Amino acid sequence: MKLVTVPDWFTRIPGIRSLVKPLGSTSGGSTLTDKDKQVVVQIIQEFKDLSRRELDTWRQALQAIEDPKPNWQPLQDFFDYLDADGILGVSMELRLAATLGKKYMVYSKSTGKETIDKTNIFLHKEWFFNFMYEFLHTNLKKFTLAQLVDPVTMKWYYIPRRNYVPERNFIKTEITSEKGFYADDPIFERNPIIAINSRSKYGILNDIVPNLIWLKNARQSWDEFAQKFGIHLVTATSNSRDKKELDRMEAMLKSLGEAATGVFPQGTEIKIHDSATKGDPYNVFLKSIELDLKIITTRILGGSMITMDGSSRSQAEVHERNLHDGLALFDKMLIQFVVNGYLMPVMAKFGYPFTDDDAFKFDESESLTLKEQWDILSGILEHYEVEDGFVAEKFNIPIIGKKQPTGTTAPANFNTANSAMAAALLAAGITLPNYIKPNCGHYHAPLVVADSLGFTGNILAELSDAMINAVWGGQPTLTLEVLKSIASHKAMLDGLLEGWGERRMELTYSATDNRCLAAMEYNLFEFSRLKEKANVFYLNQLLLDKEANNIRSFTDFRNKALPYLKNADVNHLKTEYYHSIAVGQGASRYQQFMQEADLVTPYGQIQTAGDARVRLSHQVLDGKIINFKDGAPTIWTPFDIGCRCEILQYLEQVDKEKLYTSDKIYEAIGKKKGDKWTGNRAVEETVFRANEMYVKQLGLGDEINKLPYSTYGLKPYDEIKDQYEDLQLDKTITPGNVAELYTPEPGQSYMGFTDYLGRKLTLQQPVFDKHVTTPKNIAQGRHQLFAHLQDVLANPDEVYYFQFNKGNYQQRYVKFYGNGALVVSTKLGSANVQVQTWFNMDNEAGVRRGYLIHKKSRK
């Protein structure tokens, strides 16, 4: 006989009673019935049904807008319904706070100085705070309307968005009828209405409606699952038929729920049924929730790590910078547009002292400390004249005259030979950077370097410490140099991809971005590798105490070497990381603008960040208009280390007399073609140019091909092959039918592939034909190996850089199986990255060599 029972407290949980069998019921087994097992399936189905119904409601709301008589009420009501979501609420409040918390002013256009009395009309006024708060929702919810109720107290009535029809500028007094009035009707002269529309078709919130729906329903479904399965079902199976004995067992089972102990008759089997982990609900629900949260917060805040935990502190700072320097700037421009174009003219009509010379703006200099502003000004004073009144007013420093130049200045980013050490470095063709701190910033947070090679802790710190020991002990440093280069390269590559943005994942296989990205990736590795060569050279110079003419003690050497390497591994690397982001952003936009020159506009406009940190040499570029099609622009962002300038598409009518050629821009900034920071890195396909490398004599010689896999502590294939499953070849694939597997991209002669990092790769038709038709390749079974090409590229165990011939760098992907290893090599083509060959590994030493840039971790 079988007894199934649970403690009383268990049955009181909602949704549990339906799963509990009454005392004394019988069953043929000790597990839940098939019907019970379907609960998880039912929950998932309910999740789908709820999502489907809400998505249908949303789609119907969009259809109502597209109707000949547009109706925005369903969509705005849907937005209000979604507003109850906590993560959406905090994301929107954070975005609004990034603008509401900033200092603003009213200033005179003619003098550029603040008019304090007019600023005070807005300052610390509740009505103005509420005004900005409401209109900041414009970008989120498509439009905002406000009617002035009382011009004396500046009381506003904010018209419900559900009543507005922006296509007609019409406000409905009854949603279900056509009764209402036009917002610009002259009858509202005494109580004017301000109606502002965003450029977004439906508002930003519309972009994440599906994610908000899925998020809400996933959390509800997980809660229901937890109620039904969160507490384990306890059952007992006994051979006894004595009712008294069964009653005693029931009492003890209830006690077990309270962590008590029990003594059961011989032959009694106690089982605890764990249904909470069936079907892996953790991943079923949590992964869906995490993905939706990431998409929602990224769309609202420009990054997910502002409200969510992240693996990289430096990436979190980039996300925060996206909010404050990007999206918040966009929102502040909206408020400035509303206040200058609408609010102040309305207030002037009611007697407020605003004139055409007045303008409202946010004070961006507030974000800088006085010391940061002084650091910036100090750099300016070295080369430029500054108004005495400004310095005296800002820092209370008397000005006694103009500073005269002393001696010859060095290139902007490198040290001069002002010491015996610097002279020795320059003599060897090594120039250490002297990056400008105020323009780079963020030095308080160390850059977190991804560890892809099995190290623990701070990988660069560990390797630098080992390098110090090796140099002092006279040991080879090649392995340490290479490992540090790989780690630094990974950090800068992360920055480059971050700058390129999501557009990278949407590229077509024929987009020139693919080649540009690959070339820049190679450039970053050369830069990283030469950086470590320079570091080792510096340490060897440091080893000799030239004053005492002997070798330093280990303690003395270490005390001098550690600060130098820390500067290179943290400060310099952070600057190089942010520079990689800036280059990625600039190059991505250049590629996009050139592709859209005929369809969108051939013109672009240079735009600075517009704050006190903008260098004078960049201020003169602000607002300049260029023509993309008038030859490839030979100057492009970034214009210098730490540059935050942008080039945006210019969509308005262009006065051709105001167009600037590259030569005209050079003239404006006092440079000529070929000078430092005058090139277009997107065209050059470089992140760091030759004159920005640590070592001037470029090239790594044959070193890249002389690094075996043992350099990285990897084991031979024969010692690891038992960890892998065998490669199963499809014997039905023959040289005669393999062409059926070759599927070119629409309208193209090549087939597209994507690797583990999202790189777009192409396989040209002649290369495919050669590999599947020649007798030698057929004998090697390459026609059957072709079916596994995508898997090798997307899931490689190892990836190496190697040099096919001088200056021709390639990547080699290796994937291990129990019965062999499959290899795919790629090369840089004329317009993209191309698959060059694939084969079974028959020469391990010749294949597993070069710079290891990726190693798949195995549990």
Side-chain angles (χ1 to χ4, degrees), residues 408-416 431-432 434 436 676-677 691 696:
T408 303
T409 57
N413 295 321
F414 295 94
N415 289 330
T416 54
T431 51
L432 301 183
N434 183 26
I436 307 169
K676 191 174 180 62
W677 295 98
N691 62 356
K696 294 303 182 184

Side-chain angles (χ1 to χ4, degrees), residues 175-328:
I175 293 297
T176 57
S177 73
E178 285 300 308
K179 294 181 180 180
F181 48 85
Y182 291 95
D184 55 359
D185 195 305
I187 65 172
F188 298 114
E189 184 176 356
R190 293 297 301 172
N191 298 101
I193 295 174
I194 296 177
I196 302 298
N197 281 275
S198 73
R199 295 181 62 184
S200 173
K201 186 173 183 181
Y202 301 112
I204 290 175
L205 288 189
N206 189 71
D207 299 344
I208 52 175
V209 163
N211 304 98
L212 289 164
I213 292 173
W214 295 328
L215 173 65
K216 177 174 66 68
N217 291 333
R219 289 186 300 196
Q220 290 176 345
S221 298
W222 198 1
D223 180 65
E224 183 177 352
F225 182 90
Q227 291 181 12
K228 292 182 177 181
F229 295 113
I231 303 176
H232 302 157
L233 181 66
V234 183
T235 65
T237 303
S238 175
N239 296 326
S240 174
R241 296 179 179 272
D242 188 326
K243 188 176 184 306
K244 292 183 178 180
E245 188 68 26
L246 293 176
D247 289 343
R248 188 172 70 86
M249 290 172 59
E250 179 186 5
M252 284 189 289
L253 280 174
K254 291 181 178 181
S255 297
L256 285 177
E258 300 168 0
T261 58
V263 179
F264 294 88
Q266 184 175 3
T268 300
E269 181 182 2
I270 305 296
K271 286 190 176 182
I272 298 177
H273 301 268
D274 178 10
S275 298
T277 59
K278 302 299 183 183
D280 196 7
Y282 183 83
N283 281 316
V284 169
F285 295 111
L286 183 61
K287 294 302 181 183
S288 173
I289 290 172
E290 287 180 344
L291 177 60
D292 288 324
L293 285 175
K294 183 176 181 180
I295 294 174
I296 290 167
T297 55
T298 299
R299 185 65 183 93
I300 300 295
L301 299 172
S304 60
M305 294 186 185
I306 299 174
T307 56
M308 301 170 63
D309 291 336
S311 59
S312 169
R313 184 174 178 180
S314 61
Q315 290 182 2
E317 290 180 347
V318 172
H319 290 193
E320 185 176 359
R321 188 175 64 171
N322 288 343
L323 171 61
H324 290 283
D325 291 348
L327 297 177

Side-chain angles (χ1 to χ4, degrees), residues 3-178:
L3 175 69
V4 179
T5 187
V6 295
D8 288 340
W9 53 264
F10 185 67
T11 62
R12 289 196 294 271
I13 297 177
I16 292 297
R17 294 187 181 87
S18 62
L19 301 179
V20 178
K21 299 184 183 301
L23 180 65
S25 65
T26 61
S27 176
S30 60
T31 60
L32 298 177
T33 66
D34 291 340
K35 180 179 179 181
D36 296 327
K37 292 179 180 178
Q38 294 302 313
V39 174
V40 176
V41 177
Q42 294 169 9
I43 291 174
I44 298 299
Q45 186 60 49
E46 181 181 7
F47 172 35
K48 291 181 179 178
D49 291 342
L50 286 172
S51 298
R52 188 179 298 112
R53 286 198 296 271
E54 291 180 316
L55 287 172
D56 287 343
T57 302
W58 171 55
R59 294 189 184 98
Q60 292 167 7
L62 296 181
Q63 290 173 0
I65 296 173
E66 300 299 330
D67 191 87
K69 292 184 177 180
N71 182 8
W72 283 78
Q73 172 258 325
L75 183 62
Q76 292 298 333
D77 286 353
F78 204 74
F79 285 165
D80 293 341
Y81 163 68
L82 295 174
D83 275 351
D85 183 87
I87 194 66
L88 175 62
V90 73
S91 297
M92 290 196 300
E93 293 297 332
L94 279 172
R95 174 159 177 171
L96 268 56
T99 297
L100 292 171
K102 295 298 182 181
K103 182 181 177 182
Y104 50 80
M105 68 174 71
V106 177
Y107 69 100
S108 168
K109 297 177 185 177
S110 57
T111 66
K113 295 184 178 180
E114 181 182 6
T115 310
I116 297 177
D117 291 343
K118 296 181 180 180
T119 298
N120 289 337
I121 295 175
F122 299 121
L123 193 62
H124 305 313
K125 299 298 191 295
E126 182 180 359
W127 73 264
F128 186 61
F129 178 89
N130 293 334
F131 185 89
M132 288 196 296
Y133 180 87
E134 291 295 335
F135 276 94
L136 280 172
H137 283 81
T138 303
N139 291 326
L140 297 168
K141 297 185 177 182
K142 176 55 181 172
F143 45 77
T144 301
L145 296 91
Q147 183 177 28
L148 182 60
V149 176
D150 184 354
V152 177
T153 61
M154 290 305 295
K155 180 180 179 181
W156 292 83
Y157 169 67
Y158 298 98
I159 299 171
R161 293 180 177 86
R162 68 198 305 266
N163 293 75
Y164 185 52
V165 183
E167 292 84 355
R168 299 161 52 200
N169 199 23
F170 188 75
I171 301 171
K172 293 183 177 182
T173 54
E174 296 180 7
I175 293 297
T176 57
S177 73
E178 285 300 308

Side-chain angles (χ1 to χ4, degrees), residues 489 492-493 496 500 513-527 580 583-588 591 637 680-688 801 828:
H489 173 264
M492 285 181 267
L493 179 59
L496 181 67
W500 222 278
D513 301 59
N514 297 311
R515 177 193 159 86
C516 186
L517 262 172
M520 286 183 171
E521 189 174 342
Y522 299 147
N523 170 259
L524 283 177
F525 196 90
E526 187 171 47
F527 177 84
S580 300
V583 172
Q585 290 173 336
S588 177
Q591 298 287 347
T637 56
N680 185 337
R681 294 167 197 264
V683 175
E684 299 166 0
E685 299 180 334
T686 61
V687 180
F688 294 93
Y801 279 154
L828 201 60

